[in-house]
Amino acid sequence: MSVDEPRAAPCPWHEPVWQALTTRARQPHAFLFAGSPGVGKRQFAEAFADWLLCQQPAGGAVCGQCRSCQLLRAGTHPDRLLVEPEEEGKAIRVDAVRQLADFMAQTAQQGGRKVVILHPAEAMNLNAANALLKSLEEPTAETYLLLVSDQPSRLLPTIRSRCQVLTLTAPAPAQALDWLAQRLPQLSTEEHAALLLMAAGAPLRAVQLQELGATELRARVVEGVKALLKSEKSAPQLADAWSAVPLELLMDWFCDWTLDLLRLKTGALETPVNSDMDKVLPYMAQRVATTTLMEWQGWLLEHRSMVLGKANLNRVLLLETLLLRWKQLMEKR
């Protein structure tokens, strides 16, 4: 848990939501900013925290001159708190939420508001969630709690019901591509589009994928899948070769390919959305039985949910099973 540094502004595609929010006469004490990964929820929450703490906001913008803005810029504002897991992928524990409650109960050191950002909210374990619920039921005056979540359905219904829920969406493809062109000018339009496809339309996620080298990783995975179907590579060989590829990415890619398979099978598509599999997927769609494909999708979605929920899975065993089941799609009719 630490005092967080401010962000300049929300993403441009969230400007209408921002204007509607910052022109309200009164603000609820708790918000839940929800949406897909990489659409800009965290940035929105951080900008809103700065706006709430600014002593002289001008419309939807912070003044940048007051004592609070100076402290925010230095990253030392005592009335702005970030609560997050101690390590990425770990849970937010009850002790952290109890400290949050103590912070909320204190008088603001700058004599104004206090703001807490909790991210990702779904990382709270059950004890932490129950402790947070007590703070939500007994809000402190001039104290604001901003929850940020990729998976709001994993939060307790009683927590969701006590928050003002704002769902933040991805921009239109054209706006996303324009934004990526400014952020990643070294890439071509085709590369921007490929990243955006992998990121399910979320621009910030696309930038993260570029930083991960996802384009190269995906090319390696695609070649491996083709080699698997030709029996040139075995499932154990590929599971070992893909040790550097994040499980979340692998599960997302297989989900994308499966969706293309279903659309091809039903005639909703003539060619795959995922152009790097434009020969493999039509070939598979001609041979896989619909019932087999539906069973596979159910298994895949169940295990993707487990991966996203940070379940303690055996990575090698999971990948070997995934690859064997993928190959068997064309063997079961």
Side-chain angles (χ1 to χ4, degrees):
M1 186 157 50
S2 61
V3 176
D4 193 29
E5 295 182 2
R7 299 282 181 174
C11 295
W13 50 90
H14 292 148
E15 191 62 29
V17 181
W18 177 263
Q19 290 300 325
L21 182 61
T22 55
T23 53
R24 286 181 175 178
R26 297 183 60 185
Q27 301 290 351
H29 74 281
F31 286 87
L32 171 58
F33 299 115
S36 301
V39 298
K41 303 181 301 299
R42 170 76 174 267
Q43 188 165 324
F44 191 98
E46 289 172 338
F48 187 51
D50 292 358
W51 183 84
L52 287 169
L53 290 170
C54 176
Q55 295 165 351
Q56 299 173 345
V62 298
C63 72
Q65 304 298 322
C66 69
R67 175 63 176 164
S68 282
C69 284
Q70 293 173 9
L71 290 170
L72 288 166
R73 189 159 47 245
T76 57
H77 201 299
D79 299 322
R80 187 179 195 268
L81 193 67
L82 171 68
V83 180
E84 59 185 356
E86 294 180 2
E87 297 179 35
E88 186 176 355
K90 300 297 183 180
I92 295 176
R93 301 186 181 279
V94 66
D95 289 345
V97 176
R98 285 172 179 161
Q99 292 176 44
L100 175 158
D102 291 341
F103 172 84
M104 294 176 69
Q106 296 170 4
T107 301
Q109 294 188 36
Q110 292 299 304
R113 295 166 168 170
K114 301 190 304 296
V115 181
V116 177
I117 300 173
L118 194 153
H119 172 270
E122 67 271 13
M124 288 185 292
N125 62 26
L126 183 58
N127 288 336
N130 285 328
L132 181 71
L133 189 57
K134 294 180 181 179
S135 295
L136 287 170
E137 290 172 341
E138 301 173 1
T140 308
E142 292 300 296
T143 300
Y144 298 87
L145 181 59
L146 313 181
L147 278 64
V148 183
S149 178
D150 295 340
Q151 303 175 68
S153 62
R154 290 181 55 198
L155 294 173
L156 294 176
T158 44
I159 288 180
R160 297 198 303 269
S161 67
R162 285 166 173 77
C163 296
Q164 172 74 58
V165 180
L166 286 180
T167 301
L168 299 174
T169 59
Q175 187 178 14
L177 288 170
D178 287 344
W179 185 86
L180 281 178
Q182 297 175 27
R183 287 295 300 271
L184 302 172
Q186 73 276 22
L187 301 183
S188 67
T189 302
E190 291 75 17
E191 289 171 317
H192 292 149
L195 284 170
L196 200 61
L197 177 63
M198 279 194 282
L204 276 71
R205 177 62 175 160
V207 172
Q208 291 174 340
L209 292 176
Q210 167 65 12
E211 293 169 350
L212 285 170
T215 302
E216 294 78 11
L217 292 175
R218 176 155 169 145
R220 190 190 312 169
V221 170
V222 168
E223 288 305 309
V225 168
K226 293 176 180 177
L228 175 75
L229 296 177
K230 294 176 183 177
S231 298
E232 296 172 353
K233 294 282 186 179
S234 68
Q237 286 175 320
L238 290 177
D240 181 62
W242 294 350
S243 59
V245 186
L247 269 180
E248 292 86 349
L249 286 184
L250 286 169
M251 300 302 281
D252 282 349
W253 294 341
F254 275 92
C255 283
D256 289 343
W257 298 334
T258 299
L259 184 57
D260 267 358
L261 274 177
L262 284 166
R263 290 169 171 168
L264 290 165
K265 190 71 181 175
T266 59
L269 280 180
E270 293 185 1
T271 57
V273 172
N274 295 273
S275 57
D276 53 1
M277 293 280 277
D278 60 347
K279 292 182 173 59
V280 174
L281 295 177
Y283 179 82
M284 293 181 68
Q286 292 174 5
R287 287 157 179 79
V288 65
T290 302
T291 53
T292 301
L293 190 53
M294 296 300 293
E295 290 171 3
W296 153 255
Q297 186 186 45
W299 182 92
L300 182 62
L301 291 175
E302 177 186 355
H303 286 78
R304 178 181 181 271
S305 178
M306 294 168 69
V307 168
L308 293 178
K310 309 300 179 184
N312 187 21
L313 300 172
N314 182 314
R315 177 190 170 96
V316 173
L317 180 59
L318 174 63
L319 285 184
E320 289 183 6
T321 304
L322 179 147
L323 289 166
L324 287 171
R325 291 181 67 108
W326 177 259
K327 187 176 182 180
Q328 289 169 357
L329 286 179
M330 294 191 300
E331 299 171 1
K332 294 181 179 179
R333 297 187 64 87

